[in-house]
Amino acid sequence: MKIAHLVPTLHPDAPEIGLVDLAGAAQDTGMEFVVIALASTSETSQVSALQRLGVPVSELGLGPWDPRAVGRTAQLIRDQRVQLVHTHLPPADVVGAAAALRNRLPAVSTLHRIENLPADRIDRFKRTAKILARQRFMARTIAISQVQREWYRGLSGAGSAQNLVVVPNGVTDPGPVDPAERQRRRSALGVGDGEVLAVSTAPMRRDQGHELLLEALESLPDGLRLVVALAGDGPLRPWLESRVDASDDLTERVRFVHRHQEPTALLGAADLVLHTARSGAAPTALLRAMAAGVPAVATRVGGVPEIVTADTGVLVALHPAAIADALVALTEDGARRELLGTAARERFLAEYEAIGWARRLHELYQEVLTPGRADLGEPQPS
């Protein structure tokens, strides 16, 4: 089974789709992947990772709405003898649907966001057009959480359920933590014996709630043995760095990880993971925390409560005081952190490991490709 995954870009700061995790697991399920990115990127970590797994990667070097994209994509999937096109995010949805149609191939699309921001008339028109296009040209639309499914149904009407399915994402199992590597990373961050390390790997963008986190950290009691590492990069990083530099309390407690260091590599050194985003369908950062056996303090938004439960972490309101209270409680209770982390790891293995994700997608692809189950351009009921 040969599948083409089409994305707007493979830049590491783009919304995380998890193609590297999926490609690593796909080989065990009889699938072969081709990845096509509409734009090129100078940050080639994802491109290199896919190529190391033997996945052909093509970057078209085009803008998101370049009219040449359809023809080039159609030619690539024809040359690669692809059987099904899987698109991610709106620019790729449009191009992928048209390219698949040219080759008389079925296509499926994954939703990656929940967007509840107020929309003007033009935005509502565009959103309606995308929904109608999915219903007409996509054999399946994939939601990654139940909350996202209900959100999409609310936008598109009850009739959209005929080709709307839920397939939760997964991530690669990182395996056991090397104690020596864990200690090395903690020492590099200046984490002393007996101190608790909390890590945030969220991209530094406005919707990720870093300002709530910093306000919560400033309110923590003196003497609390908690160090916070902010990993990742994004447009807000300069502001966050200046915000921390302007506060003695934050300067003492907060560490910035080098912008080119892989954020998830820190999870093996962490005691807690912080996720203070204002929205999210099913944040991959929380799946990676579960995989590492690290409990999370996360805001109760979107699909987050489907991942973080009372057994695996602490859900909090979008308020600095609530975040601070949870941090104090878990920093001072090592036994509880250990119980939550163990349960998080067990739940990851049962529900979110990448091989299980690949198998669920394989079943969906097989259903679409089975003759009589999903005719081109006419979505069929699940």
Side-chain angles (χ1 to χ4, degrees):
M1 186 186 294
K2 197 165 192 178
I3 312 297
H5 284 268
L6 185 64
V7 297
T9 177
L10 287 167
H11 193 285
D13 290 340
E16 188 168 8
I17 293 169
L19 289 183
V20 175
D21 299 85
L22 184 58
Q27 298 168 353
D28 293 332
T29 61
M31 291 189 290
E32 186 178 349
F33 284 170
V34 173
V35 174
I36 303 170
L38 301 179
S40 301
T41 176
S42 58
E43 296 288 339
T44 60
S45 57
Q46 287 200 76
V47 176
S48 300
L50 287 166
Q51 290 173 336
R52 285 194 297 271
L53 291 168
V55 176
V57 178
S58 298
E59 293 182 289
L60 303 184
L62 303 174
W65 306 110
D66 193 306
R68 297 172 293 175
V70 173
R72 292 189 184 182
T73 301
Q75 184 64 51
L76 279 170
I77 63 179
R78 186 160 54 249
D79 292 344
Q80 293 283 350
R81 306 180 76 84
V82 165
Q83 295 170 268
L84 182 146
V85 178
H86 188 157
T87 66
H88 306 266
L89 300 173
D93 292 341
V94 173
V95 173
L101 190 63
R102 283 194 183 187
N103 287 286
R104 297 194 59 77
L105 296 176
V108 302
S109 169
T110 292
L111 304 169
H112 288 278
R113 296 169 173 159
I114 295 176
E115 298 169 339
N116 288 324
L117 295 176
D120 60 24
R121 199 166 99 181
I122 294 176
D123 287 337
R124 289 195 296 271
F125 174 79
K126 289 179 179 178
R127 189 165 61 187
T128 300
K130 287 186 286 188
I131 290 169
L132 292 174
R134 281 199 186 94
Q135 292 174 342
R136 176 65 181 86
F137 298 111
M138 294 295 177
R140 297 289 185 276
T141 295
I142 302 169
I144 58 177
S145 66
Q146 294 291 343
V147 164
Q148 187 188 49
R149 177 180 185 270
E150 295 310 309
W151 163 78
Y152 188 74
R153 286 190 67 187
L155 290 178
S156 55
S160 66
Q162 65 174 347
N163 69 334
L164 181 62
V165 296
V166 177
V167 181
N169 286 352
V171 297
T172 302
D173 185 355
V177 176
D178 179 0
E181 180 66 14
R182 173 182 168 85
Q183 186 55 48
R184 185 190 70 79
R185 290 188 181 278
R186 291 173 70 90
S187 297
L189 290 169
V191 182
D193 292 340
E195 288 188 311
V196 171
L197 174 61
V199 171
S200 169
T201 63
M204 295 176 181
R205 301 192 303 257
R206 289 190 179 278
D207 59 342
Q208 297 302 305
H210 287 90
E211 73 285 358
L212 296 175
L213 175 57
L214 294 185
E215 191 173 338
L217 296 180
E218 278 189 308
S219 70
L220 294 177
D222 293 338
L224 186 71
R225 295 180 62 76
L226 176 70
V227 174
V228 176
L230 301 182
D233 200 2
L236 276 190
R237 179 155 184 150
W239 178 85
L240 292 171
E241 290 175 337
S242 64
R243 172 80 168 80
V244 170
D245 288 343
S247 167
D248 291 339
D249 289 337
L250 293 178
T251 301
E252 183 178 347
R253 195 178 296 281
V254 177
R255 317 283 191 267
F256 282 92
V257 179
H258 193 282
R259 65 181 69 237
H260 294 301
Q261 183 173 338
E262 173 58 45
T264 55
L266 289 173
L267 294 176
D271 301 297
L272 289 172
V273 162
L274 302 175
H275 189 82
T276 56
R278 295 181 178 276
S279 64
T284 304
L286 292 174
L287 303 184
R288 298 197 188 283
M290 293 174 67
V294 182
V297 173
T299 44
R300 190 183 289 104
V301 297
V304 170
E306 295 178 38
I307 299 172
V308 178
T309 68
D311 294 328
T312 66
V314 177
L315 290 169
V316 297
L318 274 168
H319 195 280
I323 298 169
D325 289 345
L327 285 175
V328 170
L330 285 179
T331 299
E332 295 178 342
D333 194 342
R336 186 183 177 199
R337 291 199 310 271
E338 185 173 353
L339 286 174
L340 293 173
T342 300
R345 171 73 179 164
E346 291 173 352
R347 185 155 188 252
F348 160 75
L349 291 173
E351 300 182 36
Y352 294 106
E353 206 276 328
I355 293 177
W357 179 29
R359 287 172 179 160
R360 292 190 292 271
L361 283 177
H362 182 277
E363 292 174 5
L364 184 145
Y365 297 152
Q366 192 65 57
E367 181 180 292
V368 170
L369 289 167
T370 300
R373 295 294 297 277
D375 295 331
L376 179 61
E378 295 293 335
Q380 300 296 310
S382 300

